[in-house]
Amino acid sequence: MSDRMIASQFISLYDLCVLIREVVGDNFPEYIWVVAEIASIKENQNGHCYLELVDKNEEKVIAQARATIWAYNYRSLAHKFEKATGETLKRGMKILFSAQVQYHEVYGLSLNIRDIDPTYSTGEMARKKRETVERLLREGLLELNKSLLLPLVPQRIAIISSPTAAGYGDFMTHLQENSYGYRFSLSLFQALMQGEEASFSIIAALQKIKKQIDLFDLVVIIRGGGSQIDLSCFDDYELSAGIARFPLPVVTGIGHERDDTVVDMVAHTKKKTPTAVAEFIISGVRLFETQIEDLQNSIIRYSDRLLENSRYSLQENLNTLNHVLKNILSYSFSKHQLLVIRFCLASRKNFSDHQNRLSLVLQKVNAVFWQKFQEAKNKYFLLEQSIYHFNPVNLMKRGFSVARINGNLLTSIKQAKSGQTITTQLLDGLILSKVEDES
Amino acid sequence: MNKKNQLSYKQALEELEKIVDEIENGEIDVDLLAEKVKRATFLSQICKSKLKKTQEELDKLLSEIEKEDIKQEETESEPSL
């Protein structure tokens, strides 16, 4: 017996493959439900879908199989799946599907997928997302970007988007043609906004921005309108962590209707659409301008008040001064008036005094005059009487006569000698007499 | 960065707020009021210009203001010569 002996019993590969097909067919006659992760998926020109399915144990592939979804089935399945999950079937996704195990002599083992239960994937994605969120929370990343202060004036914007995206155009137009006339410095950092590469592409854009961070106030991640599906890239841990740690506030406008993506959750501010992001930015600038205007108005108002107060106190002072002056004046005036009155009164009094005095004097004078006059009159009268009495004629009438001797007035008997002649004069003539005796 | 642009929005805002406080609290002498109001107007004008003008326009505006300042400084410093 030799090792080299040619076996007399053998079959062809084809026969073997046929045999395998029959065994497989006999053992897996029905469709069975299987869970697997999509390792790759592609659609060919005819619309048939070819997948590589894997099963992993801690990232290590422990099973792998090809699968197909025929075109007539694929269209409706894909539609149903997208509608339920908001996602397209893609790499990394775990699916629960109903398939028939098939073996083909040329193409080998393959799973012919007839149905996919999207609720499994939904739950699976939700679980994955929840795990991502929990991890971010655990690592203190969930609120990190939110803790950054928004720029006082968001004017220099770094945009992460795809230049062909409708949302990008809307965003640019909205900012550049804002009704306030604000100017923005807008820099686009191109990135894929959907598909498997999106996450990596966005992270790369963030890194580029980080190198020239001084030139920007704000980062926006926008993705417009278009497809409402295929957003699982925005649930990616690496991307979410990158955004969370970014030193500038990140604003998202990913444009979707479904629950927030993890990127939305870690972003500083989340808006639904790129246009809403533009509005948000404009309102930020507007807020600043309003603040400035308010301050300016306050300054005007307070200045007016200050001036008004000063004017008021000046007026007050003037009033006081005026009042004081008036008082002084009126005092002076009344004093003056008083003086005038006093003067008048005094003058009048003086006058009447004088008058009184004058009249008194006059009276006195009068009296004196009259007295003197009377005195004089009396004197004169007496004098007149005396004159009358001493008039010799009147004396002679009363019996007196003038005797002369030898021509001299006879006043003593000694003059008379006997024999002498005495002449006695009377009113009506002379008597001559002779002295006889002396006694 | 442009040197003249170093007056940031933040600084302008803070200075404006300070001026408002001072005037509001009546800490400012009426004699200084005109000066402060002038400064406030300048600050808010610069801010508003920065919001609405392109960098080139802004540079031009700032250089004009700078020229005026220099002129003013020159005329102001003349008597001391």
Side-chain angles (χ1 to χ4, degrees):
Chain A
M1 292 287 146
S2 142
D3 292 345
R4 294 187 171 197
M5 190 193 84
I6 297 168
S8 55
Q9 296 280 316
F10 56 85
I11 56 170
S12 67
L13 177 63
Y14 175 77
D15 289 339
L16 177 66
C17 288
V18 168
L19 196 63
I20 293 172
R21 175 158 63 97
E22 282 170 3
V23 170
V24 168
D26 288 346
N27 285 284
F28 301 98
E30 304 288 327
Y31 283 92
I32 47 175
W33 286 98
V34 183
V35 166
E37 182 182 320
I38 300 171
S40 79
I41 179 168
K42 64 180 177 207
E43 191 184 335
N44 79 356
Q45 288 172 336
N46 302 322
H48 303 306
C49 179
Y50 298 92
L51 306 101
E52 281 294 337
L53 299 173
V54 292
D55 205 351
K56 287 180 180 172
N57 184 7
E58 310 224 332
E59 298 303 305
K60 190 175 171 241
V61 175
I62 53 172
Q64 184 160 4
R66 287 190 292 117
T68 52
I69 310 171
W70 303 121
Y72 64 88
N73 226 351
Y74 180 58
R75 234 166 277 139
S76 66
L77 271 188
H79 181 71
K80 188 175 87 173
F81 188 84
E82 282 169 15
K83 215 175 148 199
T85 63
E87 287 293 318
T88 50
L89 289 163
K90 63 165 166 282
R91 194 176 72 144
M93 198 171 270
K94 272 192 164 178
I95 54 173
L96 171 63
F97 58 92
S98 159
Q100 194 175 35
V101 184
Q102 285 179 338
Y103 186 84
H104 188 273
E105 295 79 354
V106 175
Y107 307 110
L109 191 80
S110 171
L111 304 173
N112 178 26
I113 297 175
R114 185 185 65 170
D115 195 10
I116 298 173
D117 183 356
T119 53
Y120 176 83
S121 300
T122 310
E124 193 59 23
M125 286 187 310
R127 185 188 58 79
K128 248 173 99 178
K129 184 174 160 185
R130 195 168 58 240
E131 279 173 6
T132 305
V133 172
E134 278 166 4
R135 183 176 168 193
L136 290 165
L137 184 65
R138 201 165 53 239
E139 292 170 349
L141 296 176
L142 207 57
E143 301 288 323
L144 193 61
N145 198 258
K146 285 185 181 63
S147 68
L148 296 175
L149 285 178
L150 278 174
L152 195 57
V153 181
Q155 207 171 12
R156 302 170 305 157
I157 317 293
I159 307 159
I160 296 177
S161 189
S162 159
T164 54
Y168 173 70
D170 291 346
F171 178 80
M172 295 297 279
T173 310
H174 213 83
L175 276 189
Q176 283 163 345
E177 292 172 10
N178 72 84
S179 56
Y180 304 106
Y182 301 140
R183 299 276 190 163
F184 294 94
S185 144
L186 305 168
S187 311
L188 174 66
F189 292 83
Q190 284 195 41
L192 294 168
M193 297 309 285
Q194 64 184 66
E196 284 171 41
E197 303 299 315
S199 167
F200 176 78
S201 168
I202 294 169
I203 290 171
L206 282 171
Q207 280 165 350
K208 242 196 238 173
I209 296 167
K210 206 169 175 176
K211 280 182 191 155
Q212 38 192 326
I213 198 137
D214 287 345
L215 298 178
F216 302 106
D217 302 318
L218 195 70
V219 175
V220 302
I221 299 176
I222 49 174
R223 196 201 85 138
S227 160
Q228 289 295 304
I229 55 166
D230 223 5
L231 290 157
S232 65
C233 56
F234 295 106
D235 286 333
D236 181 72
Y237 169 80
E238 294 301 329
L239 176 59
S240 300
I243 287 168
R245 289 202 182 91
F246 205 74
L248 286 178
V250 176
V251 181
T252 58
I254 296 170
H256 56 84
E257 298 299 327
R258 72 164 177 115
D259 291 349
D260 288 353
T261 63
V262 180
V263 162
D264 285 325
M265 291 166 81
V266 294
H268 186 285
T269 302
K270 169 236 149 187
K271 295 285 162 195
K272 274 216 150 63
T273 62
T275 307
V277 175
E279 290 286 356
F280 174 73
I281 291 170
I282 292 165
S283 74
V285 179
R286 179 69 196 135
L287 183 70
F288 176 76
E289 195 182 32
T290 312
Q291 244 175 314
I292 294 287
E293 281 167 356
D294 285 351
L295 285 171
Q296 209 183 4
N297 288 338
S298 296
I299 287 171
I300 291 167
R301 202 170 58 243
Y302 293 139
S303 299
D304 278 351
R305 206 175 69 185
L306 199 67
L307 283 176
E308 192 53 45
N309 284 350
S310 304
R311 209 175 293 137
Y312 179 76
S313 68
L314 183 66
Q315 191 58 50
E316 192 96 304
N317 285 340
L318 276 178
N319 285 347
T320 310
L321 185 65
N322 221 359
H323 190 68
V324 168
L325 275 178
K326 250 186 206 161
N327 273 354
I328 291 174
L329 271 179
S330 93
Y331 176 69
S332 305
F333 181 72
S334 52
K335 215 170 146 189
H336 173 75
Q337 219 171 20
L338 208 71
L339 262 173
V340 169
I341 291 167
R342 273 174 67 185
F343 176 74
C344 283
L345 284 173
S347 307
R348 219 176 279 170
K349 190 165 170 276
N350 254 359
F351 183 69
S352 71
D353 270 2
H354 282 300
Q355 217 173 19
N356 287 347
R357 267 162 76 179
L358 186 64
S359 70
L360 215 69
V361 166
L362 279 176
Q363 274 175 12
K364 266 189 185 165
V365 167
N366 244 358
V368 170
F369 174 76
W370 276 111
Q371 199 189 341
K372 295 282 176 198
F373 179 70
Q374 219 58 45
E375 276 173 17
K377 205 172 144 191
N378 290 345
K379 239 175 164 177
Y380 175 74
F381 183 72
L382 281 174
L383 205 65
E384 205 182 36
Q385 272 192 331
S386 303
I387 288 167
Y388 180 81
H389 286 303
F390 288 108
N391 189 339
V393 175
N394 292 336
L395 282 173
M396 280 175 197
K397 277 183 184 164
R398 284 192 291 157
F400 292 97
S401 58
V402 181
R404 286 184 185 94
I405 201 154
N406 298 332
N408 297 320
L409 278 174
L410 181 65
T411 57
S412 171
I413 54 166
K414 289 168 187 166
Q415 292 172 283
K417 304 299 183 218
S418 312
Q420 285 183 306
T421 311
I422 294 171
T423 317
T424 306
Q425 185 161 9
L426 298 169
L427 263 177
D428 46 359
L430 294 168
I431 301 168
L432 297 170
S433 17
K434 241 182 192 170
V435 184
E436 286 177 347
D437 199 6
E438 297 159 60
S439 37
Chain B
M1 273 194 119
N2 191 311
K3 233 184 164 189
K4 267 282 157 181
N5 246 346
Q6 277 175 353
L7 177 76
S8 69
Y9 288 125
K10 189 164 174 272
Q11 287 170 317
L13 188 69
E14 280 169 358
E15 200 177 335
L16 273 172
E17 280 169 342
K18 195 171 152 256
I19 292 173
V20 172
D21 277 354
E22 284 174 345
I23 298 179
E24 189 185 4
N25 298 333
E27 287 165 11
I28 285 184
D29 210 283
V30 178
D31 296 334
L32 290 173
L33 189 62
E35 197 73 19
K36 290 283 180 183
V37 171
K38 198 177 147 197
R39 175 70 178 160
T41 307
F42 168 78
L43 288 171
S44 72
Q45 264 176 359
I46 284 298
C47 284
K48 288 188 148 218
S49 298
K50 272 176 86 174
L51 295 180
K52 292 176 185 179
K53 288 188 163 58
T54 60
Q55 195 57 49
E56 300 87 74
E57 286 172 323
L58 201 60
D59 288 344
K60 209 178 134 203
L61 180 83
L62 287 165
S63 74
E64 274 165 18
I65 290 169
E66 200 174 11
K67 262 185 236 158
E68 266 175 39
D69 279 354
I70 290 168
K71 249 188 248 167
Q72 213 170 2
E73 275 164 27
E74 276 172 356
T75 48
E76 273 170 9
S77 61
E78 261 170 23
S80 66
L81 286 172

